Amino acid sequence: MDELPKLEELDEETLFIVSQTFKALSDPTRIRILHLLYQEELSVNNISEALHLRQSTVSHQLRFLKNLRLVKYRREGTSIYYSIDDEHVMDVLKQTIDHAQHH
Amino acid sequence: MDELPKLEELDEETLFIVSQTFKALSDPTRIRILHLLYQEELSVNNISEALHLRQSTVSHQLRFLKNLRLVKYRREGTSIYYSIDDEHVMDVLKQTIDHAQHH
DNA sequence: ACTGAATATGAATATATGTGCATATATTGC
DNA sequence: GCAATATATGCACATATATTCATATTCAGT
């Protein structure tokens, strides 16, 4: 009588963190931004132009991702360069993109 | 000059599937339902009672999960038993719960 | 201090989403 | 066919979310 590896109980805090993390990955715009940043560090303008999105749209979404510590930034002159800051979440995103494409 | 493993292009269809998949995992109620079902097959009423949720709430969320083929069901009398139908997505959920709890 | 360039922020709006109520549908036993 | 039980569905409503516009902030160069 084998059993599945038991999942730990889901406390409120874990539930919140997990749902927020997946919420970050549930919007097409944020997925595209993360997908881009996975390849290279980019400024807000770079992203805006590459994805044909308004500057404010990109800025708002980056704030969301920054609050969850999925991205980090570095200032260089008047530009701000963003890059990936959570390898685990990026792994999850890559896995799921791969899964969607090959199945 | 090493390069990162190149991600494939994100076509519209992939983007949609991926965002929908994460949307399924972005709601606390759905996470709790999947977490329960990971441990055992359960009827709508079982879930409703275990999580203190209205029957219609559970039914609505199960429809969502069923449409994405994350769960499957089997009828037994007037009851309908639901169980997990996507191991990959459950892996992703488990990984992320674990990550949230230990970091 | 002033200007131009890049980014961030707040308010407004349209749309999406989660839940509950009431009701419909489906199955079983009589 | 009828009653009882379990589940599904449609509608309404409150809340959350994504985007846009207008404006504020920050920094570099002069």
Side-chain angles (χ1 to χ4, degrees), chain A residues 29 32-33 36-37 42-60 62 80 82:
Chain A
T29 298
R32 291 166 79 210
I33 291 175
L36 253 192
L37 292 181
L42 292 169
S43 73
V44 178
N45 255 342
N46 291 157
I47 299 170
S48 175
E49 287 164 12
L51 301 181
H52 305 291
L53 296 169
R54 310 272 171 175
Q55 176 269 323
S56 69
T57 297
V58 175
S59 194
H60 278 301
L62 285 172
I80 299 189
Y82 281 84

Side-chain angles (χ1 to χ4, degrees), chain B residues 21 27 39 41 50 64-65 81 93 96 103:
Chain B
T21 302
D27 176 70
Q39 327 227 11
E41 181 191 55
F64 187 110
L65 297 172
Y81 287 86
L93 176 58
T96 305
H103 303 284

Side-chain angles (χ1 to χ4, degrees), chain A residues 3-72:
Chain A
E3 287 186 11
L4 289 172
K6 185 104 178 149
L7 281 182
E8 294 187 35
E9 288 306 311
L10 275 181
D11 58 293
E12 279 302 314
E13 194 194 340
T14 301
L15 205 53
F16 180 74
I17 296 173
V18 171
S19 62
Q20 282 296 110
T21 303
F22 286 126
K23 191 157 302 191
L25 302 176
S26 73
D27 177 70
T29 298
R30 287 192 291 268
I31 294 176
R32 291 166 79 210
I33 291 175
L34 289 172
H35 181 259
L36 253 192
L37 292 181
Y38 175 71
Q39 328 228 8
E40 53 181 331
E41 182 192 56
L42 292 169
S43 73
V44 178
N45 255 342
N46 291 157
I47 299 170
S48 175
E49 287 164 12
L51 301 181
H52 305 291
L53 296 169
R54 310 272 171 175
Q55 176 269 323
S56 69
T57 297
V58 175
S59 194
H60 278 301
Q61 299 297 10
L62 285 172
R63 177 167 56 172
F64 186 109
L65 297 172
K66 186 179 58 181
N67 287 341
L68 281 174
R69 301 188 190 282
L70 301 189
V71 299
K72 63 189 177 209

Side-chain angles (χ1 to χ4, degrees), chain B:
Chain B
M1 41 189 284
D2 281 352
E3 288 186 13
L4 290 172
K6 185 102 177 151
L7 282 181
E8 294 187 35
E9 287 307 311
L10 275 182
D11 57 292
E12 278 302 313
E13 194 194 339
T14 300
L15 204 52
F16 181 74
I17 296 174
V18 171
S19 62
Q20 283 295 110
T21 302
F22 286 125
K23 190 156 303 192
L25 302 176
S26 72
D27 176 70
T29 300
R30 286 191 292 268
I31 294 176
R32 296 207 290 152
I33 292 175
L34 289 172
H35 181 260
L36 253 193
L37 291 181
Y38 175 71
Q39 327 227 11
E40 53 180 331
E41 181 191 55
L42 292 169
S43 72
V44 179
N45 255 342
N46 291 158
I47 299 170
S48 175
E49 287 164 12
L51 302 181
H52 305 290
L53 297 169
R54 311 272 170 173
Q55 177 267 324
S56 70
T57 298
V58 175
S59 194
H60 279 304
Q61 299 297 10
L62 285 171
R63 177 168 56 175
F64 187 110
L65 297 172
K66 186 178 59 180
N67 287 342
L68 282 173
R69 300 187 191 282
L70 300 189
V71 299
K72 62 188 178 214
Y73 64 95
R74 144 183 100 75
R75 181 179 278 282
E76 189 176 312
T78 56
S79 295
I80 299 189
Y81 287 86
Y82 282 83
S83 56
I84 297 300
D85 197 30
D86 189 319
E87 290 302 326
H88 174 264
V89 170
M90 282 310 290
D91 281 349
V92 163
L93 176 58
K94 285 191 296 178
Q95 278 178 233
T96 305
I97 289 175
D98 201 63
H99 188 249
Q101 280 169 335
H102 298 117
H103 303 284

